Amino acid sequence: MLKTVVLVSGGGTNLQAILDAIAEGKITDTEITAVISNNPNAYALERAKKAGAAAEVVRPADFPDREAFHEALLAKVKEYEPDLIVLAGFMVQVPMCLVKAFPNQIINIHPALIPSFCGKGFYGLRVHEAALKRGVKLTGATVHFVNENLDEGPIIIQKAVRIKEGDTPEILQRRVMEEAEWQIMPEAIQLIAHGKVKVVDGKAVISE
Ligand code: GAR
């Protein structure tokens, strides 16, 4: 059983896609043991409770400084002894202490084809605004391992999504979720649960 902890900040549609994939047998040998949010109002926490997973909050405002928040987050994650940590719309830069404690065990979903529209300042709707502003014809989503540099870890799966005339950031965000994110995140977890992803020379290699 791949013990998995999911970190969230908002609506949690990617979390829901993972929970549904487990319920439907598309992800096997995997258990979501806890969902942890920095935001107590995240709807993702309700989704976790409905699915019977522990729903936890670690809120920056409850700590004297960033370091204390990071340590508390690390301690909370460690309580669940995860094999895998999934960032599913987690809008906090991942603390270095967490990256060091779980090398190649943290994955993130980014709503663009990395290395386009990623790094500092590129999150959520802003990514889609930037893609539309640049006028790219294809965008998409990327699941990657998290390393010490923002959005630079080994890429596991990417899926392209076409941009259409008349797209707004909101319309594009929804299409990228439906056509890419909600598919590739469960796929990546299923591959990891079955030992099919290795990191070799800084790149993720998928075996059949
Ligand atoms: C998703 O589009 C995810 O790719 C993005 O936030 C959204 C969360 O939605 N993540 C980032 O931008 C990370 N840099 P959700 O809460 O409904 O899953």
mmCIF file of all heavy atoms in Angstrom, residues 8-16 44 47 87-91 108-112 119 122-125 127-128 141-142 144 150-151 173 176-177 181-182, ligand 1:
data_model
loop_
_atom_site.group_PDB
_atom_site.id
_atom_site.type_symbol
_atom_site.label_atom_id
_atom_site.label_comp_id
_atom_site.label_asym_id
_atom_site.label_seq_id
_atom_site.Cartn_x
_atom_site.Cartn_y
_atom_site.Cartn_z
ATOM 1 N N VAL A 8 -3.036 20.535 0.062
ATOM 2 C CA VAL A 8 -3.981 21.327 -0.736
ATOM 3 C C VAL A 8 -4.098 22.741 -0.171
ATOM 4 O O VAL A 8 -3.702 22.993 0.974
ATOM 5 C CB VAL A 8 -5.384 20.671 -0.696
ATOM 6 C CG1 VAL A 8 -5.391 19.302 -1.344
ATOM 7 C CG2 VAL A 8 -5.901 20.576 0.742
ATOM 8 N N SER A 9 -4.699 23.617 -0.990
ATOM 9 C CA SER A 9 -4.987 24.971 -0.502
ATOM 10 C C SER A 9 -6.386 25.441 -0.863
ATOM 11 O O SER A 9 -6.877 26.413 -0.302
ATOM 12 C CB SER A 9 -4.004 25.987 -1.100
ATOM 13 O OG SER A 9 -2.687 25.699 -0.721
ATOM 14 N N GLY A 10 -7.015 24.783 -1.843
ATOM 15 C CA GLY A 10 -8.261 25.365 -2.369
ATOM 16 C C GLY A 10 -9.352 24.358 -2.625
ATOM 17 O O GLY A 10 -9.665 23.510 -1.788
ATOM 18 N N GLY A 11 -9.906 24.432 -3.834
ATOM 19 C CA GLY A 11 -11.096 23.652 -4.178
ATOM 20 C C GLY A 11 -10.895 22.149 -4.159
ATOM 21 O O GLY A 11 -11.810 21.394 -3.855
ATOM 22 N N GLY A 12 -9.726 21.710 -4.519
ATOM 23 C CA GLY A 12 -9.415 20.291 -4.412
ATOM 24 C C GLY A 12 -9.984 19.413 -5.517
ATOM 25 O O GLY A 12 -10.252 18.237 -5.292
ATOM 26 N N THR A 13 -10.116 19.965 -6.738
ATOM 27 C CA THR A 13 -10.624 19.095 -7.809
ATOM 28 C C THR A 13 -9.596 18.026 -8.184
ATOM 29 O O THR A 13 -9.974 16.919 -8.576
ATOM 30 C CB THR A 13 -11.038 19.886 -9.064
ATOM 31 O OG1 THR A 13 -9.890 20.515 -9.634
ATOM 32 C CG2 THR A 13 -12.108 20.924 -8.743
ATOM 33 N N ASN A 14 -8.320 18.334 -8.068
ATOM 34 C CA ASN A 14 -7.310 17.295 -8.327
ATOM 35 C C ASN A 14 -7.354 16.229 -7.246
ATOM 36 O O ASN A 14 -7.225 15.034 -7.538
ATOM 37 C CB ASN A 14 -5.918 17.916 -8.443
ATOM 38 C CG ASN A 14 -5.665 18.481 -9.825
ATOM 39 O OD1 ASN A 14 -5.438 17.737 -10.770
ATOM 40 N ND2 ASN A 14 -5.754 19.802 -9.955
ATOM 41 N N LEU A 15 -7.538 16.640 -5.999
ATOM 42 C CA LEU A 15 -7.715 15.663 -4.915
ATOM 43 C C LEU A 15 -8.906 14.764 -5.247
ATOM 44 O O LEU A 15 -8.819 13.538 -5.108
ATOM 45 C CB LEU A 15 -7.952 16.392 -3.584
ATOM 46 C CG LEU A 15 -8.436 15.503 -2.444
ATOM 47 C CD1 LEU A 15 -7.361 14.505 -2.021
ATOM 48 C CD2 LEU A 15 -8.877 16.346 -1.250
ATOM 49 N N GLN A 16 -10.008 15.378 -5.698
ATOM 50 C CA GLN A 16 -11.210 14.596 -6.013
ATOM 51 C C GLN A 16 -10.929 13.596 -7.127
ATOM 52 O O GLN A 16 -11.385 12.447 -7.069
ATOM 53 C CB GLN A 16 -12.349 15.541 -6.419
ATOM 54 C CG GLN A 16 -13.698 14.848 -6.482
ATOM 55 C CD GLN A 16 -14.134 14.347 -5.103
ATOM 56 O OE1 GLN A 16 -14.188 15.109 -4.154
ATOM 57 N NE2 GLN A 16 -14.408 13.054 -4.991
ATOM 58 N N ALA A 44 -11.321 21.475 -0.310
ATOM 59 C CA ALA A 44 -10.637 20.176 -0.394
ATOM 60 C C ALA A 44 -10.751 19.403 0.926
ATOM 61 O O ALA A 44 -10.811 18.167 0.926
ATOM 62 C CB ALA A 44 -9.169 20.398 -0.748
ATOM 63 N N ARG A 47 -13.885 17.445 0.933
ATOM 64 C CA ARG A 47 -13.755 16.273 0.043
ATOM 65 C C ARG A 47 -13.012 15.148 0.775
ATOM 66 O O ARG A 47 -13.356 13.970 0.643
ATOM 67 C CB ARG A 47 -12.992 16.651 -1.224
ATOM 68 C CG ARG A 47 -13.669 17.727 -2.077
ATOM 69 C CD ARG A 47 -12.801 17.964 -3.313
ATOM 70 N NE ARG A 47 -13.173 19.130 -4.081
ATOM 71 C CZ ARG A 47 -14.051 19.124 -5.092
ATOM 72 N NH1 ARG A 47 -14.672 18.022 -5.424
ATOM 73 N NH2 ARG A 47 -14.290 20.234 -5.766
ATOM 74 N N LEU A 87 1.260 17.222 -4.039
ATOM 75 C CA LEU A 87 0.839 18.615 -3.965
ATOM 76 C C LEU A 87 -0.256 18.790 -5.014
ATOM 77 O O LEU A 87 0.009 18.690 -6.212
ATOM 78 C CB LEU A 87 2.008 19.557 -4.258
ATOM 79 C CG LEU A 87 3.311 19.302 -3.477
ATOM 80 C CD1 LEU A 87 4.333 20.380 -3.820
ATOM 81 C CD2 LEU A 87 3.055 19.257 -1.980
ATOM 82 N N ALA A 88 -1.478 19.009 -4.541
ATOM 83 C CA ALA A 88 -2.617 19.111 -5.456
ATOM 84 C C ALA A 88 -3.242 20.492 -5.264
ATOM 85 O O ALA A 88 -4.196 20.653 -4.508
ATOM 86 C CB ALA A 88 -3.618 17.993 -5.177
ATOM 87 N N GLY A 89 -2.642 21.477 -5.934
ATOM 88 C CA GLY A 89 -3.117 22.846 -5.738
ATOM 89 C C GLY A 89 -2.670 23.386 -4.387
ATOM 90 O O GLY A 89 -3.430 24.046 -3.687
ATOM 91 N N PHE A 90 -1.423 23.090 -4.022
ATOM 92 C CA PHE A 90 -0.863 23.584 -2.752
ATOM 93 C C PHE A 90 -0.110 24.874 -3.074
ATOM 94 O O PHE A 90 0.925 24.847 -3.741
ATOM 95 C CB PHE A 90 0.071 22.536 -2.162
ATOM 96 C CG PHE A 90 0.566 22.856 -0.775
ATOM 97 C CD1 PHE A 90 -0.330 23.109 0.262
ATOM 98 C CD2 PHE A 90 1.932 22.878 -0.497
ATOM 99 C CE1 PHE A 90 0.129 23.380 1.546
ATOM 100 C CE2 PHE A 90 2.396 23.152 0.789
ATOM 101 C CZ PHE A 90 1.490 23.406 1.802
ATOM 102 N N MET A 91 -0.665 25.995 -2.620
ATOM 103 C CA MET A 91 -0.160 27.296 -3.049
ATOM 104 C C MET A 91 0.884 27.878 -2.091
ATOM 105 O O MET A 91 0.960 29.089 -1.892
ATOM 106 C CB MET A 91 -1.330 28.273 -3.218
ATOM 107 C CG MET A 91 -2.347 27.821 -4.228
ATOM 108 S SD MET A 91 -1.621 27.485 -5.862
ATOM 109 C CE MET A 91 -3.073 27.052 -6.793
ATOM 110 N N ASN A 108 4.108 17.151 -7.765
ATOM 111 C CA ASN A 108 3.299 18.357 -7.899
ATOM 112 C C ASN A 108 2.613 18.350 -9.259
ATOM 113 O O ASN A 108 3.160 17.822 -10.224
ATOM 114 C CB ASN A 108 4.221 19.587 -7.798
ATOM 115 C CG ASN A 108 3.478 20.894 -7.972
ATOM 116 O OD1 ASN A 108 2.430 21.135 -7.352
ATOM 117 N ND2 ASN A 108 3.990 21.762 -8.842
ATOM 118 N N ILE A 109 1.428 18.958 -9.303
ATOM 119 C CA ILE A 109 0.783 19.176 -10.607
ATOM 120 C C ILE A 109 0.875 20.659 -10.923
ATOM 121 O O ILE A 109 0.543 21.505 -10.083
ATOM 122 C CB ILE A 109 -0.684 18.682 -10.620
ATOM 123 C CG1 ILE A 109 -1.345 18.912 -11.984
ATOM 124 C CG2 ILE A 109 -1.543 19.312 -9.541
ATOM 125 C CD1 ILE A 109 -1.459 17.719 -12.836
ATOM 126 N N HIS A 110 1.375 20.955 -12.130
ATOM 127 C CA HIS A 110 1.484 22.353 -12.559
ATOM 128 C C HIS A 110 0.624 22.529 -13.820
ATOM 129 O O HIS A 110 0.711 21.710 -14.743
ATOM 130 C CB HIS A 110 2.946 22.719 -12.852
ATOM 131 C CG HIS A 110 3.101 24.161 -13.205
ATOM 132 N ND1 HIS A 110 3.013 25.154 -12.251
ATOM 133 C CD2 HIS A 110 3.252 24.774 -14.395
ATOM 134 C CE1 HIS A 110 3.133 26.332 -12.855
ATOM 135 N NE2 HIS A 110 3.279 26.133 -14.143
ATOM 136 N N PRO A 111 -0.154 23.620 -13.884
ATOM 137 C CA PRO A 111 -1.099 23.749 -15.002
ATOM 138 C C PRO A 111 -0.501 24.374 -16.266
ATOM 139 O O PRO A 111 -1.086 25.294 -16.848
ATOM 140 C CB PRO A 111 -2.210 24.620 -14.403
ATOM 141 C CG PRO A 111 -1.511 25.486 -13.418
ATOM 142 C CD PRO A 111 -0.379 24.657 -12.859
ATOM 143 N N ALA A 112 0.651 23.886 -16.680
ATOM 144 C CA ALA A 112 1.271 24.303 -17.947
ATOM 145 C C ALA A 112 2.287 23.232 -18.331
ATOM 146 O O ALA A 112 2.571 22.323 -17.538
ATOM 147 C CB ALA A 112 1.969 25.653 -17.800
ATOM 148 N N GLY A 119 7.556 28.482 -12.373
ATOM 149 C CA GLY A 119 8.478 29.214 -11.491
ATOM 150 C C GLY A 119 7.744 30.269 -10.684
ATOM 151 O O GLY A 119 6.520 30.251 -10.566
ATOM 152 N N PHE A 122 4.049 32.028 -11.004
ATOM 153 C CA PHE A 122 3.158 31.287 -11.906
ATOM 154 C C PHE A 122 2.410 30.204 -11.128
ATOM 155 O O PHE A 122 2.941 29.126 -10.892
ATOM 156 C CB PHE A 122 3.957 30.645 -13.043
ATOM 157 C CG PHE A 122 4.454 31.630 -14.059
ATOM 158 C CD1 PHE A 122 5.772 32.026 -14.060
ATOM 159 C CD2 PHE A 122 3.582 32.164 -15.006
ATOM 160 C CE1 PHE A 122 6.241 32.947 -14.990
ATOM 161 C CE2 PHE A 122 4.036 33.083 -15.941
ATOM 162 C CZ PHE A 122 5.362 33.480 -15.938
ATOM 163 N N TYR A 123 1.186 30.535 -10.763
ATOM 164 C CA TYR A 123 0.344 29.542 -10.085
ATOM 165 C C TYR A 123 -1.112 29.868 -10.403
ATOM 166 O O TYR A 123 -1.474 31.011 -10.719
ATOM 167 C CB TYR A 123 0.592 29.542 -8.567
ATOM 168 C CG TYR A 123 0.370 30.886 -7.927
ATOM 169 C CD1 TYR A 123 -0.900 31.268 -7.495
ATOM 170 C CD2 TYR A 123 1.412 31.788 -7.784
ATOM 171 C CE1 TYR A 123 -1.101 32.520 -6.940
ATOM 172 C CE2 TYR A 123 1.215 33.033 -7.230
ATOM 173 C CZ TYR A 123 -0.049 33.389 -6.810
ATOM 174 O OH TYR A 123 -0.246 34.625 -6.275
ATOM 175 N N GLY A 124 -1.943 28.835 -10.343
ATOM 176 C CA GLY A 124 -3.381 29.007 -10.547
ATOM 177 C C GLY A 124 -3.704 29.735 -11.852
ATOM 178 O O GLY A 124 -3.090 29.497 -12.893
ATOM 179 N N LEU A 125 -4.656 30.667 -11.776
ATOM 180 C CA LEU A 125 -5.139 31.379 -12.973
ATOM 181 C C LEU A 125 -4.045 32.166 -13.684
ATOM 182 O O LEU A 125 -4.104 32.373 -14.888
ATOM 183 C CB LEU A 125 -6.223 32.370 -12.558
ATOM 184 C CG LEU A 125 -7.690 32.010 -12.772
ATOM 185 C CD1 LEU A 125 -8.537 33.253 -12.560
ATOM 186 C CD2 LEU A 125 -7.969 31.394 -14.139
ATOM 187 N N VAL A 127 -1.171 31.401 -14.483
ATOM 188 C CA VAL A 127 -0.498 30.592 -15.505
ATOM 189 C C VAL A 127 -1.272 30.681 -16.818
ATOM 190 O O VAL A 127 -0.698 30.871 -17.901
ATOM 191 C CB VAL A 127 -0.413 29.121 -15.028
ATOM 192 C CG1 VAL A 127 0.183 28.231 -16.101
ATOM 193 C CG2 VAL A 127 0.364 29.019 -13.720
ATOM 194 N N HIS A 128 -2.577 30.578 -16.713
ATOM 195 C CA HIS A 128 -3.415 30.597 -17.918
ATOM 196 C C HIS A 128 -3.473 32.006 -18.512
ATOM 197 O O HIS A 128 -3.516 32.161 -19.730
ATOM 198 C CB HIS A 128 -4.796 30.049 -17.577
ATOM 199 C CG HIS A 128 -4.725 28.683 -16.956
ATOM 200 N ND1 HIS A 128 -4.308 27.576 -17.664
ATOM 201 C CD2 HIS A 128 -4.924 28.264 -15.684
ATOM 202 C CE1 HIS A 128 -4.291 26.526 -16.864
ATOM 203 N NE2 HIS A 128 -4.666 26.917 -15.649
ATOM 204 N N ALA A 141 -0.580 20.413 -18.910
ATOM 205 C CA ALA A 141 -0.266 20.236 -17.500
ATOM 206 C C ALA A 141 0.912 19.279 -17.362
ATOM 207 O O ALA A 141 1.197 18.486 -18.271
ATOM 208 C CB ALA A 141 -1.472 19.700 -16.740
ATOM 209 N N THR A 142 1.576 19.383 -16.224
ATOM 210 C CA THR A 142 2.781 18.592 -15.943
ATOM 211 C C THR A 142 2.711 18.036 -14.526
ATOM 212 O O THR A 142 2.414 18.785 -13.596
ATOM 213 C CB THR A 142 4.041 19.492 -16.037
ATOM 214 O OG1 THR A 142 4.106 20.098 -17.327
ATOM 215 C CG2 THR A 142 5.318 18.698 -15.778
ATOM 216 N N HIS A 144 5.326 16.478 -11.865
ATOM 217 C CA HIS A 144 6.777 16.349 -11.706
ATOM 218 C C HIS A 144 7.149 16.123 -10.244
ATOM 219 O O HIS A 144 6.367 16.452 -9.337
ATOM 220 C CB HIS A 144 7.479 17.611 -12.242
ATOM 221 C CG HIS A 144 7.134 18.856 -11.472
ATOM 222 N ND1 HIS A 144 7.885 19.316 -10.423
ATOM 223 C CD2 HIS A 144 6.094 19.714 -11.577
ATOM 224 C CE1 HIS A 144 7.334 20.408 -9.929
ATOM 225 N NE2 HIS A 144 6.242 20.680 -10.608
ATOM 226 N N LEU A 150 12.008 25.581 -7.547
ATOM 227 C CA LEU A 150 10.580 25.660 -7.868
ATOM 228 C C LEU A 150 10.283 25.202 -9.302
ATOM 229 O O LEU A 150 10.851 25.746 -10.269
ATOM 230 C CB LEU A 150 10.124 27.118 -7.667
ATOM 231 C CG LEU A 150 8.634 27.399 -7.797
ATOM 232 C CD1 LEU A 150 7.829 26.613 -6.775
ATOM 233 C CD2 LEU A 150 8.370 28.897 -7.648
ATOM 234 N N ASP A 151 9.421 24.200 -9.434
ATOM 235 C CA ASP A 151 8.951 23.670 -10.732
ATOM 236 C C ASP A 151 10.070 23.119 -11.608
ATOM 237 O O ASP A 151 9.931 23.048 -12.840
ATOM 238 C CB ASP A 151 8.175 24.761 -11.514
ATOM 239 C CG ASP A 151 6.868 25.146 -10.835
ATOM 240 O OD1 ASP A 151 6.329 24.334 -10.074
ATOM 241 O OD2 ASP A 151 6.397 26.270 -11.065
ATOM 242 N N GLN A 173 -8.474 27.338 -17.879
ATOM 243 C CA GLN A 173 -8.150 26.603 -16.647
ATOM 244 C C GLN A 173 -8.998 25.340 -16.539
ATOM 245 O O GLN A 173 -8.498 24.252 -16.240
ATOM 246 C CB GLN A 173 -8.392 27.491 -15.417
ATOM 247 C CG GLN A 173 -8.091 26.796 -14.107
ATOM 248 C CD GLN A 173 -8.324 27.700 -12.907
ATOM 249 O OE1 GLN A 173 -9.378 28.313 -12.775
ATOM 250 N NE2 GLN A 173 -7.339 27.801 -12.044
ATOM 251 N N VAL A 176 -7.923 22.711 -19.145
ATOM 252 C CA VAL A 176 -6.653 22.073 -18.766
ATOM 253 C C VAL A 176 -6.880 21.064 -17.637
ATOM 254 O O VAL A 176 -6.304 19.973 -17.628
ATOM 255 C CB VAL A 176 -5.599 23.140 -18.378
ATOM 256 C CG1 VAL A 176 -4.379 22.503 -17.708
ATOM 257 C CG2 VAL A 176 -5.171 23.932 -19.608
ATOM 258 N N MET A 177 -7.757 21.415 -16.709
ATOM 259 C CA MET A 177 -8.069 20.459 -15.638
ATOM 260 C C MET A 177 -8.734 19.209 -16.204
ATOM 261 O O MET A 177 -8.291 18.091 -15.941
ATOM 262 C CB MET A 177 -9.004 21.101 -14.610
ATOM 263 C CG MET A 177 -8.329 22.093 -13.700
ATOM 264 S SD MET A 177 -9.584 22.851 -12.650
ATOM 265 C CE MET A 177 -8.555 23.431 -11.304
ATOM 266 N N GLU A 181 -5.060 17.647 -16.249
ATOM 267 C CA GLU A 181 -4.709 17.455 -14.836
ATOM 268 C C GLU A 181 -5.384 16.248 -14.193
ATOM 269 O O GLU A 181 -4.733 15.441 -13.533
ATOM 270 C CB GLU A 181 -5.070 18.708 -14.026
ATOM 271 C CG GLU A 181 -4.263 19.919 -14.416
ATOM 272 C CD GLU A 181 -4.529 21.109 -13.507
ATOM 273 O OE1 GLU A 181 -4.634 20.940 -12.288
ATOM 274 O OE2 GLU A 181 -4.639 22.235 -14.031
ATOM 275 N N TRP A 182 -6.719 16.155 -14.385
ATOM 276 C CA TRP A 182 -7.456 15.089 -13.689
ATOM 277 C C TRP A 182 -7.133 13.714 -14.245
ATOM 278 O O TRP A 182 -7.516 12.700 -13.667
ATOM 279 C CB TRP A 182 -8.968 15.348 -13.746
ATOM 280 C CG TRP A 182 -9.381 16.655 -13.139
ATOM 281 C CD1 TRP A 182 -8.660 17.422 -12.256
ATOM 282 C CD2 TRP A 182 -10.609 17.375 -13.377
ATOM 283 N NE1 TRP A 182 -9.369 18.557 -11.931
ATOM 284 C CE2 TRP A 182 -10.557 18.558 -12.605
ATOM 285 C CE3 TRP A 182 -11.740 17.121 -14.163
ATOM 286 C CZ2 TRP A 182 -11.605 19.491 -12.606
ATOM 287 C CZ3 TRP A 182 -12.775 18.032 -14.157
ATOM 288 C CH2 TRP A 182 -12.713 19.213 -13.385
HETATM 289 C C1 GAR B 1 -4.760 23.398 -10.369
HETATM 290 O O1 GAR B 1 -5.011 23.924 -11.634
HETATM 291 C C2 GAR B 1 -3.271 23.138 -10.179
HETATM 292 O O2 GAR B 1 -2.651 22.702 -11.353
HETATM 293 C C3 GAR B 1 -2.801 24.513 -9.795
HETATM 294 O O3 GAR B 1 -3.801 24.995 -8.934
HETATM 295 C C4 GAR B 1 -5.054 24.432 -9.281
HETATM 296 C C5 GAR B 1 -5.683 23.816 -8.050
HETATM 297 O O4 GAR B 1 -6.980 23.364 -8.301
HETATM 298 N N1 GAR B 1 -1.498 24.449 -9.165
HETATM 299 C C6 GAR B 1 -0.552 25.371 -9.322
HETATM 300 O O5 GAR B 1 -0.718 26.394 -9.964
HETATM 301 C C7 GAR B 1 0.763 25.062 -8.632
HETATM 302 N N2 GAR B 1 1.803 25.936 -9.098
HETATM 303 P P1 GAR B 1 -7.691 22.293 -7.358
HETATM 304 O O6 GAR B 1 -7.570 22.786 -5.910
HETATM 305 O O7 GAR B 1 -9.137 22.307 -7.818
HETATM 306 O O8 GAR B 1 -7.034 20.961 -7.549
#
